[in-house]
Amino acid sequence: MSAEIIDGKAFAADLRARVADYAATFAQAAGRKAGLAVVLVGEDPASKVYVASKGRATIECGMASFEHKLPADTAQEALIALIDQLNADPLVDGILVQLPLPGHLDEQAVVARIDPDKDVDGLTPISTGRLALGQPGLVPCTPLGSLMLLKDRLGSLSGLDAVVIGRSILVGKPMAQLLLAENCTVTIAHSRTRDLPAVVRRADIVVAAVGRPEMIKGSWLKPGCTVIDVGINRLPPEDGQTKGRLVGDVDFAEAVQVAAAVTPVPGGVGPMTIAVLLRNTVVAAHCNAGVALAAGAL
Ligand code: NDP
């Protein structure tokens, strides 16, 4: 048996094209472009790359990108003042603070300051609460992108057994909430879970968000299950290479022998994250400007 490889890259490209259509309609109706502000504090090389690619993708979708780059020694008060300014700016529909912040800053307080209606990362306590209560709101991008891939492949998820491995605020917990809202029977596994292989083996849907290379083996999977691999791990370089290979949390070569469908790494969940960020921004823009969102698939 060889599983279907879920093409997150193609799905994300389609989603971005749909977002661009919605952004164009919004610009006509509102008389301005939807806008995303990204705040970067410090010089972390990976964060700089992420911020640059988010900015590029925003512009490609026909939205305005506002980048705020602050020095690594920025004081908490100055960062909070910037968030307040962006909260009040009518041209800004979404605010994303690139994490992690330098150690002297109180990350939770900064995120909590973001207006929940502009919280395109879905990480404020209000957004988290809305998700838990089943109220409309903005949802973290990676889990929402993972859910989109699942629904695209499986249709209704109602009644399916889902195991989410990982309980982070960013991925595991919101993923579990989203699956619960789709009427899955959800188990959240973590580092203290006993007999993880047995827990995983009963799942129709496995979402791995652990950060450990190829930890989940083919023998742990129920035949015919669907596997969403959120993990992004770089292996040590092999002979003659400067960079190691990127792998997920699932042993892909083994999983394709057992599962019905698997996301690859790279090219699975990864590309969905920015596409959903753009989706969240255009949705927030409609809500914030009081422009009705046209019916359709976003
Ligand atoms: P965190 O480190 O915040 O959380 C990891 C989770 O895995 C924790 O809940 C931890 O349990 C659990 N865990 C660790 N070891 C084990 C183990 N041996 N058995 C079972 N559970 C374990 O990571 P994130 O959620 O932020 O990210 C997870 C992965 O997803 C990473 O590889 C990250 O790079 C990737 N990622 C990918 C994104 C994308 O765009 N595709 C976006 C975000 C993340 P405990 O709580 O008990 O410590």
Side-chain angles (χ1 to χ4, degrees):
M1 181 171 167
S2 190
E4 177 199 337
I5 311 301
I6 298 174
D7 189 347
K9 211 170 157 188
F11 192 97
D14 276 0
L15 178 58
R16 279 160 76 149
R18 292 200 298 276
V19 170
D21 287 344
Y22 278 79
T25 316
F26 174 82
Q28 267 191 342
R32 66 167 180 88
K33 289 180 177 178
L36 173 64
V38 180
V39 179
L40 173 66
V41 185
E43 299 289 331
D44 179 68
S47 294
K48 279 165 101 169
V49 171
Y50 293 141
V51 166
S53 60
K54 284 168 188 170
R56 254 195 324 273
T58 306
I59 291 164
E60 276 168 19
C61 265
M63 300 193 280
S65 167
F66 309 104
E67 281 182 22
H68 295 267
K69 294 181 179 158
L70 306 181
D73 62 356
T74 299
Q76 179 84 8
E77 298 71 33
L79 183 53
I80 293 286
L82 174 61
I83 303 290
D84 287 347
Q85 180 198 317
L86 298 173
N87 282 341
D89 187 339
L91 298 180
V92 171
D93 298 294
I95 302 170
L96 182 150
V97 176
Q98 185 66 43
L99 302 176
L101 290 172
H104 68 284
L105 294 169
D106 179 347
E107 210 163 90
Q108 278 190 19
V110 170
V111 169
R113 192 76 171 201
I114 297 170
D115 178 345
D117 294 336
K118 297 189 177 187
D119 176 24
V120 285
D121 244 355
L123 295 176
T124 62
I126 301 278
S127 299
T128 307
R130 284 175 175 164
L131 179 60
L133 292 168
Q135 294 175 356
L138 293 162
V139 174
C141 303
T142 303
L144 183 53
S146 301
L147 184 76
M148 286 177 180
L149 294 178
L150 280 169
K151 288 176 74 171
D152 181 58
R153 199 195 118 69
L154 294 171
S156 169
L157 309 184
S158 185
L160 296 180
D161 271 314
V163 170
V164 179
I165 315 166
R167 54 174 163 180
S168 70
I169 309 285
L170 188 63
V171 188
K173 281 182 185 163
M175 187 75 236
Q177 292 285 358
L178 287 169
L179 290 165
L180 192 58
E182 295 294 330
N183 298 314
C184 289
T185 303
V186 182
T187 303
I188 308 178
H190 46 76
S191 67
R192 312 293 171 88
T193 297
R194 287 191 196 154
D195 198 357
L196 185 58
V199 172
V200 172
R201 205 166 289 123
R202 58 174 193 252
D204 304 302
I205 294 170
V206 178
V207 180
V210 184
R212 292 182 182 262
E214 299 175 324
M215 183 185 90
I216 291 132
K217 301 297 171 195
S219 61
W220 300 15
L221 300 172
K222 172 164 142 180
C225 70
T226 301
V227 179
I228 301 289
D229 191 353
V230 180
I232 302 178
N233 311 287
R234 195 171 286 284
L235 295 178
E238 285 166 25
D239 288 346
Q241 290 181 328
T242 48
K243 265 187 179 179
R245 235 168 14 102
L246 278 185
V247 295
D249 292 340
V250 176
D251 187 319
F252 183 78
E254 289 185 12
V256 291
Q257 301 301 320
V258 185
V262 186
T263 58
V265 177
V269 174
M272 292 301 291
T273 299
I274 288 188
V276 175
L277 172 68
L278 302 170
R279 178 257 177 215
N280 280 356
T281 303
V282 87
V283 169
H286 282 77
C287 296
N288 295 341
V291 175
L293 198 60
L298 256 190

